[in-house]
Amino acid sequence: MENTLLQAISTSALGSVQGTGTTPFSQQTVVLTKQTYLELKWKANYWQAQYERLVEREAARKADVAALQATIRDLTQRLYGTKSEHAAGPDRAGASQATSSRKRGQQPGSRGHGRSERSALPVVAEVHDVSADAQHCPACGAAFLPFPGAEESSIIEVQVQAHIRRIQRLRYQKVCQCPQVPGIVTAPPVPRLIPKSPLGVSLWTMVLLDKYLYGRPTHRLCEELQHHGMPLAPGTLTDGLQKIAGLFELIVQALYTRQMSEKLFHGDETRWAVFAEVEGRTSHRWYLWVMRSASAVFYRMSPGRGAEVPKAHFAKLQKDLVEVVLVCDRYSAYKCLAKNDEMIILAYCWAHVRRDFLKAARRWPELDSWMWTWIDAIRDLYRVNAARLAAWDDTVPLEQQPAAFVERHGELKSHLSRMRTRCESQLEAKDLHLAKAKVLTSLRNHWDGLTVFVERPEVAMDNNAAERALRTPVVGRKNYYGSGCVWSAQLAAMMFSVLQTVLLWGLNPHHWLSAFLQACADHGGKSPTDISPFLPWAMTPERRAELARPVPRTWPPCTRSCQEQGEPAAVDTS
């Protein structure tokens, strides 16, 4: 068949073409039928298309492999790498400063602060004398004369001593026949936080602080108490915690009411496990939300992470407030909140933007120099804003600030303008890396929220305040894994709110909690009707100064009569 399709080719035609520089076959002619030509043409196009598809598939698979390798690098860093965000790059592009050789800690030659003042600690004097033989001369036996004064030194000791308060209520029997005084007269019962419970206020103070401020599991506290000679079952503490949970409801309501009158918030959330069967839920993952303002830290425990939680929190925001600012991350629930409530302005966190660049370079090492360029720019932004705040007078409006503030304010705006121009120019580049496009697009989309702090100097550049407020709960979550039931989770949110607010005002949490629980005990195991003495913003300066000091020493207890306590005598009618 080839003979019918091809014309005979002479052997001389297969030789090289003289002086033309072309291939030998360039001068040969092949004759085909049109049907064969179309078949060959179709096959050529088909295999060419197949080749192009293979090239595209190979490129896609290489991209997938690169993305998976980037994910592996990211997960490896999270699992095995350092947790600090203070990245150090010895070969940073454009780094001009040399690595500092400054050692950590106090520097040689610097002025120290001296020994800490511990005047609140009680002093127990101990007199140590030499032996009787050492008081005489070993050679002649003459007695030494006492030398005026004594050489003094101090040693700090901590002694934890559980003890039993043996209450002895004296009784008196009447000798008269007066009907208005029947029976036996006795001293009134000692106030108890939980009726008929042998556990006192000091123990419940230790339990609450140990779990909700220091993050220690209950069974470990029970082990410590057992080593001190006081065996205590965890179930006893759990039952008691459930009974005293209602004592803090009025305090928490007051915290919420106070916070709803303020205009600047920091918000964040983290997971929290609640090991309870809840109808409609198959997961034990709940979420702990925090809203921190200038005078209160408020926590909410919720089974979900949707926008309904921040909406419910800000539902009772005072209506006369305008332009309430919420510093937060870029989670969609906060965006939904701002979309639903026009009076709330979102201020996004620059620390999260910085993490975006660090994460991109961790996943894609070839972006390291690009990342450091942006990290340095963000660092300079923090520096410029800190210099601006150093000259800021928060008592006057922005238009009446001093000249030093105005100068640094202009420098801040110029720096932000250069950052935005760089972002836009890099986004317009051809063949932009996918990781770069993702980070820069997010930066552009959230630019308005990231620059709220420019015209409002009181707004922080980052959301570190809320993240620090979650640090204590996260430590507790890692130690005791969350809560075993719903009421326990709600108690955890209340105690976090109370204790962190107390710390926010600089009060001693041990002193405040002891005073509040004693007031509840004096009120018959119920919360006091007037809680203003325990609200930091309602206290007098003298009251705040008193609760900022360590709790007064109350052991060993002394005998007190009813007259000293200011209490009437009880009448035993039995």
Side-chain angles (χ1 to χ4, degrees):
M1 182 174 181
E2 293 179 356
N3 295 331
T4 60
L5 296 177
L6 301 176
Q7 201 175 36
I9 303 175
S10 62
T11 57
S12 62
L14 297 177
S16 60
V17 181
Q18 299 294 332
T20 60
T22 59
T23 60
F25 298 101
S26 62
Q27 303 299 320
Q28 298 178 4
T29 303
V30 177
V31 179
L32 302 173
T33 62
K34 189 169 184 180
Q35 180 179 355
T36 304
Y37 170 78
L38 293 176
E39 291 178 355
L40 294 176
K41 190 71 174 178
W42 179 85
K43 290 180 179 180
N45 292 336
Y46 170 78
W47 291 113
Q48 181 68 27
Q50 290 294 100
Y51 171 75
E52 293 175 356
R53 289 178 58 187
L54 289 174
V55 171
E56 293 178 359
R57 186 176 67 176
E58 184 70 14
R61 290 186 175 180
K62 287 183 178 180
D64 292 341
V65 170
L68 292 174
Q69 290 176 344
T71 303
I72 291 174
R73 286 191 293 267
D74 182 38
L75 295 177
T76 302
Q77 166 64 26
R78 295 186 187 184
L79 185 60
Y80 302 110
T82 58
K83 306 302 180 183
S84 174
E85 295 181 1
H86 295 283
D91 53 348
R92 292 167 42 178
S96 57
Q97 64 273 19
T99 303
S100 175
S101 58
R102 183 179 184 270
K103 297 181 179 180
R104 297 179 61 183
Q106 184 174 347
Q107 302 304 303
S110 62
R111 182 179 180 181
H113 53 75
R115 293 192 173 182
S116 301
E117 175 65 27
R118 299 184 178 93
S119 58
L121 294 178
V123 178
V124 179
E126 297 182 10
V127 178
H128 291 243
D129 199 357
V130 298
S131 63
D133 294 338
Q135 296 179 12
H136 298 75
C137 177
C140 64
F144 296 150
L145 296 177
F147 190 80
E151 181 180 344
E152 292 187 354
S153 60
S154 300
I155 300 177
I156 299 174
E157 301 283 358
V158 175
Q159 182 179 4
V160 179
Q161 180 65 57
H163 63 279
I164 297 176
R165 295 173 57 194
R166 186 72 67 188
I167 309 299
Q168 299 178 353
R169 300 164 57 197
L170 301 180
R171 298 182 296 177
Y172 299 88
Q173 184 178 5
K174 70 174 185 177
V175 295
C176 62
Q177 301 298 325
C178 299
Q180 63 269 24
V181 187
I184 299 175
V185 177
T186 185
V190 174
R192 296 175 186 263
L193 189 62
I194 300 177
K196 300 183 180 180
S197 173
L199 306 183
V201 168
S202 61
L203 180 60
W204 287 116
T205 300
M206 175 186 290
V207 170
L208 292 173
L209 292 176
D210 205 63
K211 187 175 183 68
Y212 300 113
L213 185 60
Y214 307 128
R216 187 162 60 155
T218 302
H219 75 276
R220 294 186 187 173
L221 174 63
C222 293
E223 289 180 359
E224 181 187 4
L225 293 177
Q226 185 174 8
H227 295 158
H228 287 284
M230 182 184 169
L232 192 62
T236 303
L237 296 183
T238 301
D239 183 65
L241 289 174
Q242 189 172 8
K243 292 178 179 178
I244 68 177
L247 301 178
F248 298 93
E249 291 181 354
L250 292 179
I251 295 290
V252 174
Q253 291 176 5
L255 295 182
Y256 178 70
T257 302
R258 171 73 177 187
Q259 194 176 74
M260 289 300 98
S261 64
E262 299 182 296
K263 299 179 60 175
L264 179 58
F265 298 84
H266 289 258
D268 204 357
E269 77 289 332
T270 188
R271 59 181 175 84
W272 188 269
V274 179
F275 299 99
E277 298 297 333
V278 180
E279 185 179 358
R281 287 187 59 84
T282 59
S283 172
H284 296 303
R285 172 168 290 191
W286 285 41
Y287 290 91
L288 180 66
W289 296 71
V290 62
M291 291 293 170
R292 174 172 174 169
S293 60
S295 61
V297 185
F298 195 88
Y299 294 80
R300 282 180 177 269
M301 193 71 68
S302 173
R305 199 185 175 208
E308 65 274 3
V309 181
K311 287 181 180 179
H313 183 80
F314 288 102
K316 296 184 179 180
L317 198 65
Q318 291 187 6
K319 301 303 180 183
D320 57 340
L321 299 176
V322 294
E323 295 186 343
V324 175
V325 178
L326 172 60
V327 184
C328 59
D329 54 25
R330 297 157 297 186
Y331 180 44
S332 59
Y334 303 113
K335 299 177 183 179
C336 187
L337 167 68
K339 185 177 180 180
N340 185 69
D341 195 338
E342 296 181 353
M343 65 186 299
I344 296 180
I345 300 174
L346 299 185
Y348 296 124
C349 175
W350 276 99
H352 283 77
V353 176
R354 184 178 183 273
R355 293 171 195 170
D356 289 344
F357 290 100
L358 291 173
K359 184 178 179 180
R362 185 185 304 134
R363 294 167 62 96
W364 305 93
E366 61 269 22
L367 303 183
D368 189 71
S369 60
W370 169 80
M371 176 269 293
W372 278 115
T373 302
W374 280 99
I375 292 297
D376 289 343
I378 296 174
R379 180 198 60 192
D380 292 340
L381 182 63
Y382 271 92
R383 178 185 55 79
V384 173
N385 187 55
R388 182 184 70 142
L389 294 179
W392 178 47
D393 185 359
D394 58 354
T395 61
V396 298
L398 193 65
E399 300 78 11
Q400 303 177 8
Q401 291 293 324
F405 176 87
V406 175
E407 179 182 356
R408 293 165 184 173
H409 185 69
E411 183 181 354
L412 177 68
K413 286 186 173 182
S414 300
H415 187 76
L416 283 169
S417 178
R418 291 191 297 270
M419 291 180 66
R420 184 163 190 177
T421 301
R422 180 190 301 169
C423 175
E424 296 293 342
S425 62
Q426 291 184 3
L427 282 173
E428 295 176 358
K430 295 181 180 180
D431 299 329
L432 184 64
H433 195 284
L434 182 62
K436 290 184 179 181
K438 182 179 179 181
V439 175
L440 295 176
T441 300
S442 175
L443 177 61
R444 180 175 62 184
N445 293 341
H446 297 92
W447 188 261
D448 291 340
L450 288 168
T451 54
V452 171
F453 75 97
V454 177
E455 301 301 328
R456 295 176 174 84
E458 70 277 4
V459 177
M461 285 182 59
D462 50 46
N463 197 28
N464 291 349
E467 294 189 352
R468 284 193 296 268
L470 286 176
R471 184 173 299 170
T472 296
V474 167
V475 171
R477 180 188 69 196
K478 291 184 177 181
N479 288 338
Y480 48 79
Y481 304 112
S483 303
C485 50
V486 176
W487 72 261
S488 178
Q490 300 300 338
L491 174 62
M494 287 194 296
M495 292 310 305
F496 291 146
S497 301
V498 171
L499 295 177
Q500 293 301 318
T501 301
V502 168
L503 291 174
L504 183 64
W505 284 83
L507 305 181
N508 186 325
H510 193 285
H511 197 171
W512 185 95
L513 193 57
S514 297
F516 178 75
L517 292 182
Q518 186 60 53
C520 293
D522 295 338
H523 198 247
K526 299 179 181 179
S527 180
T529 305
D530 182 16
I531 61 173
S532 59
F534 301 98
L535 300 178
W537 54 86
M539 297 178 186
T540 61
E542 294 77 15
R543 170 74 170 170
R544 282 199 296 269
E546 176 188 356
L547 291 181
R549 294 192 291 266
V551 62
R553 185 181 180 218
T554 57
W555 188 87
C558 58
T559 303
R560 296 187 302 169
S561 64
C562 297
Q563 291 77 9
E564 291 173 342
Q565 300 179 42
E567 300 169 346
V571 177
D572 189 350
T573 58
S574 58

